[in-house]
Amino acid sequence: MTNVGEEITGRNLKMGMPPVPAATSRDRGQGPYGRLVLRGATIIDGTGAPPWGPADIVIERDRIAAIVAVGVPGKPISPSRRPPEGEVEIDCHGKFVTPGLIDCHTHTGVPYHALHGTPAPADYVYKLWLAHGVTTIREMGSFSGLGWMLEQKAASAANRIAAPNIVAHSYFPAVNDMLKTIHTPEEGRAWLRRLAERGADGVKFFGAPPAIMKAALEECRSLGLRSGCHHAQQAVTRMNALTTAEWGLTSAEHYYGLPEALYDNRIVQSYPNGYNYNDEYFRFSSAGQTFQQAAEPGSAKWNAVMQRFLDLDFTFVPTMTIYDANRDVMRTRRADWHDAYTWPSMWRFFQPARGGHGSYWFRWTIGNEVDWKTHYKLWMTFLNEYKNRGGRVCTGSDSGFIFQTFGFGYVRELELLQEAGFNPLEVLRSATLQGAELLGIDGETGSVEVGKRADLLVLDENPLEDFKLLYGTGALRLNDATGQPEWRQALRHTIRAGLVLDVPELLADLRRMVAEQKAVEAEAAKAPTPA
């Protein structure tokens, strides 16, 4: 019998999609140190509190040991106020320190990319995340196998590889159009018990027959497994996001299932003639019409559904970034980072192709883009109001699809939350403390507090003033002193559990990795074809 958590990996392998090449060693990062001191930082702590400082932060091994206010802006700091010297020190005067960012919806590489050439190794994916300040990920699916994912999690924790902290969720095999090996509620419960024994942190659902789904969520609660669900169109007519929230689901991923919960004059979405879910153009063009068929903002149905989600303390992980191209595919396709940072096989996977997941650009019109712009307006209205009324909205990227490159796609999500109406402090709280709460690790990380794990970012500039400065490319700005344009990038160090990583070094590694892969492919293309 196949080990639980490995089912879809076996299917992928038969289809020519092997597991992503695992990271096996570490060539970046220093520490953890017995005593590391960040001197003179302005702290943005992730709780929603405004910046304050200067302060010295003392890190001992992987923990924040002390945070000491050492003065006020504009006045010299008295040495007598400062904690003793560290084994290593980082000068943070004029710099900003925030918690490390948490990506609540990730895939550590995408097996589909192997159908388009050499897939990117996990080391490439990890370095992209770390170079964008992501210190913790929630892996949603473990599509290279749960065993593979748990080994990478352990390797990261032991600093054998340079990678974020990993929270591993496995795919629940109970939907016909992906892979279905679970056919009864008891089979689902038994599968989850074995999954918990293997050490998984949670489960990624795409749906299931209602009796199986309800039993599975009950079992998750009893086992302490957290859960997230992409309410696929093939399953959502029998249970929308509110149904599964009532049954104990931890979070709804993307937007699927939310507009269906808001329907007040229908139960099933109205689909166009000729619709076929396996045609990716129909799947995604029609998905952009779901909110237009739902109850209007402020209506009785809208308010009742929102209040019930609030009563359940439910969490949304919208991953707006992964559908961003649907509003303007030309802009997303020509993003500044693709040439130097996007892996070749991933780039080919993004291109129009029938049968390729998320590669539906062979028939994308201005009408489709207008639908999706309207969709975003309504979706963002719900998310912002949910946040304003005390609900939890967390930051996730789902990168590796639809022209979104790892790391870069996460920063784009910060921009989209701000577009939705979150102010910058609310965006950062979503990306740090609230993400930690969702994952059940807020006692460990998510804010700058004594006793927590030293997951921290050191930035040359205030990220609250412009999240674009977090992109690995930086953002194009005019240098008034020289009169010349320049690329400004704020993130200087990513500290993951006390391991200090130099961001410019990571970015240089990534550019080199992509360039070398392109050179290998160019050379192979010159080789004569065998007779």
Side-chain angles (χ1 to χ4, degrees), residues 117-391:
T118 302
D123 188 51
Y124 161 84
V125 181
Y126 296 146
K127 284 183 175 179
L128 277 168
W129 281 326
L130 293 167
H132 289 88
V134 175
T135 56
T136 299
I137 63 162
R138 181 173 65 150
E139 163 61 37
M140 292 300 281
S142 299
F143 293 129
S144 286
L146 179 61
W148 185 99
M149 202 70 247
L150 293 177
E151 191 283 325
Q152 294 285 275
K153 175 181 177 176
S156 175
N159 289 326
R160 296 196 304 271
I161 60 175
N165 309 298
I166 296 171
V167 176
H169 284 42
S170 277
Y171 165 67
F172 186 75
V175 290
N176 290 324
D177 58 294
M178 290 187 66
L179 178 68
K180 186 171 183 176
T181 63
I182 294 170
H183 300 276
T184 68
E186 188 45 51
E187 285 178 359
R189 289 181 183 275
W191 187 91
L192 288 162
R193 289 193 291 269
R194 294 198 298 273
L195 189 78
E197 289 170 1
R198 291 197 69 195
D201 299 299
V203 187
K204 165 71 176 296
F205 292 94
F206 284 86
I212 296 176
M213 188 77 173
K214 186 174 184 180
L217 290 171
E218 289 173 353
E219 194 69 24
C220 283
R221 289 200 305 277
S222 70
L223 294 168
L225 293 171
R226 292 178 181 250
S227 55
C229 185
H230 168 152
H231 294 79
Q233 286 98 324
Q234 299 299 81
V236 74
T237 57
R238 294 198 284 180
M239 50 191 175
N240 59 46
L242 185 55
T243 311
T244 53
E246 298 270 9
W247 292 345
L249 182 70
T250 309
S251 66
E253 310 302 302
H254 318 306
Y255 63 89
Y256 304 107
L258 174 56
E260 289 84 357
L262 291 165
Y263 285 167
D264 59 357
N265 61 1
R266 71 195 70 217
I267 298 299
V268 178
Q269 177 185 350
S270 296
Y271 291 101
N273 293 334
Y275 181 92
N276 187 317
Y277 178 71
N278 284 5
D279 183 317
E280 292 277 299
Y281 169 76
F282 275 119
R283 174 178 171 181
F284 283 94
S285 62
S286 297
Q289 299 168 357
T290 52
F291 268 108
Q292 296 178 57
Q293 299 179 28
E296 293 184 0
S299 65
K301 178 75 171 186
W302 173 281
N303 287 326
V305 168
M306 183 173 295
Q307 187 57 54
R308 187 55 186 149
F309 278 124
L310 290 166
D311 292 342
L312 293 166
D313 192 26
F314 194 66
T315 300
F316 291 98
V317 183
T319 70
M320 291 178 283
T321 176
I322 200 59
Y323 309 104
D324 194 28
N326 293 346
R327 299 193 296 172
D328 187 346
V329 64
M330 187 183 300
R331 180 195 62 78
T332 313
R333 186 174 61 232
R334 294 310 311 148
D336 293 327
W337 45 85
H338 284 314
D339 289 344
Y341 292 99
T342 298
W343 193 262
S345 64
M346 180 162 62
W347 179 250
R348 290 189 289 270
F349 170 68
F350 292 158
Q351 305 311 310
R354 290 192 179 275
H357 179 46
S359 302
Y360 41 84
W361 313 108
F362 47 85
R363 189 184 163 190
W364 203 251
T365 69
I366 183 62
N368 298 139
E369 292 187 351
V370 169
D371 274 343
W372 274 91
K373 288 173 182 177
T374 304
H375 179 93
Y376 267 73
K377 181 179 179 181
L378 295 167
W379 186 15
M380 287 175 164
T381 298
F382 186 95
L383 295 171
N384 190 51
E385 185 177 339
Y386 192 69
K387 174 264 299 177
N388 289 342
R389 291 171 61 175

Side-chain angles (χ1 to χ4, degrees), residues 95 175 330 466 474 495:
K95 299 182 188 294
V175 290
M330 187 183 300
D466 190 357
I495 302 174

Side-chain angles (χ1 to χ4, degrees), residues 437-459:
E437 290 171 351
L438 169 64
L439 274 56
I441 55 175
D442 49 306
E444 279 285 292
T445 192
S447 58
V448 184
E449 298 184 66
V450 172
K452 287 196 174 184
R453 193 168 61 210
D455 296 337
L456 302 169
L457 308 182
V458 177
L459 302 110

